[in-house]
Amino acid sequence: QQKVQQSPESLTVSEGAMASLNCTFSDRSSDNFRWYRQHSGKGLEVLVSIFSDGEKEEGSFTAHLNRASLHVFLHIREPQPSDSALYLCAVSKGNMGYKLTFGTGTSLLVDP
Amino acid sequence: EAAVTQSPRNKVAVTGGKVTLSCNQTNNHNNMYWYRQDTGHGLRLIHYSYGAGSTEKGDIPDGYKASRPSQENFSLILELATPSQTSVYFCASGDGDQDTQYFGPGTRLLVL
């Protein structure tokens, strides 16, 4: 069964400094990876999706996938206080792409 | 962007009572999903649907039923609510198995 773990559990960065979040998955045949953001008390907002090794950029968010090492990273360029939120990694594979397995999230605080 | 709405946003129920959570999406997506979010567990899939009239069991279906009477609406039903079902429930929709799932704002349920 797929296991998805995220680190760190919480992260504090200064406004404008790069934030890097890590997601580790267990099934190397996974091919569908998404990063979501959840502000306190709100729903999930998709940030970036990536399906093959390498990088995918969406605005200030860059996902980096390395399936050999079972890692997918999220880098946030020049974060603002409004980026303070819970960041969730979701993984799925193949024709069961609907079956997302979520990590428990990284809580990011951006200090002004 | 996908528009998914949920009602009610907050609900207090008594043990043994019946609870119905409703979800509506206006983007004509085929697939709809119900998740619950609990600290330490991330989001877990309860039920999902491929279209009107269809419901499928997710990873944690026990104690829950689902109903998809139309393309737009998907309900989650707790026939006999228990305190262990206290959680935040999210509905999502997507256009296919590989596609992004778009989430509603969530329903906070407290079972006393």
Side-chain angles (χ1 to χ4, degrees), chain A residues 34 36 38 94 97-99, chain B residues 37 59 90 97-98 100-101:
Chain A
R34 302 184 196 278
Y36 285 89
Q38 183 182 26
Y98 66 90
K99 193 170 166 56
Chain B
Q37 183 178 33
D59 294 326
F90 287 96
D97 287 346
Q98 298 292 333
T100 298
Q101 294 182 22

Side-chain angles (χ1 to χ4, degrees), chain B residues 6-13 21 88 106-110:
Chain B
Q6 295 182 230
S7 63
R9 294 294 315 279
N10 293 279
K11 174 75 177 178
V12 180
L21 307 182
V88 182
T107 293
R108 192 171 295 272
L109 174 65
L110 173 62

Side-chain angles (χ1 to χ4, degrees), chain B residues 39-77:
Chain B
T39 303
H41 286 282
L43 276 82
R44 292 178 290 172
L45 182 64
I46 306 170
H47 283 289
Y48 60 100
S49 168
Y50 287 123
S54 97
T55 60
E56 307 287 340
K57 293 181 179 179
D59 294 326
I60 52 164
D62 292 347
Y64 302 94
K65 290 184 180 178
S67 173
R68 182 87 181 269
S70 65
Q71 181 81 340
E72 297 80 18
N73 295 295
F74 190 36
S75 297
L76 185 68
I77 303 150

Side-chain angles (χ1 to χ4, degrees), chain A residues 1 31-32 34 36 38 41-46 49 51 86 88 92-104, chain B residues 1 9 31 33 35 37 40-45 48 50 58-59 90 96-106 108:
Chain A
Q1 185 175 356
D31 59 5
N32 191 318
R34 302 184 196 278
Y36 285 89
Q38 183 182 26
K42 304 294 185 184
L44 281 68
E45 169 194 6
V46 62
S49 304
F51 309 111
L86 182 69
L88 294 163
S92 64
K93 69 173 182 179
N95 60 2
M96 296 184 74
Y98 66 90
K99 193 170 166 56
L100 299 180
T101 302
F102 283 86
T104 54
Chain B
E1 188 170 328
R9 294 294 315 279
N31 295 2
Y33 310 84
Y35 294 86
Q37 183 178 33
H41 286 282
L43 276 82
R44 292 178 290 172
L45 182 64
Y48 60 100
Y50 287 123
D59 294 326
F90 287 96
D97 287 346
Q98 298 292 333
D99 288 351
T100 298
Q101 294 182 22
Y102 296 92
F103 285 77
R108 192 171 295 272

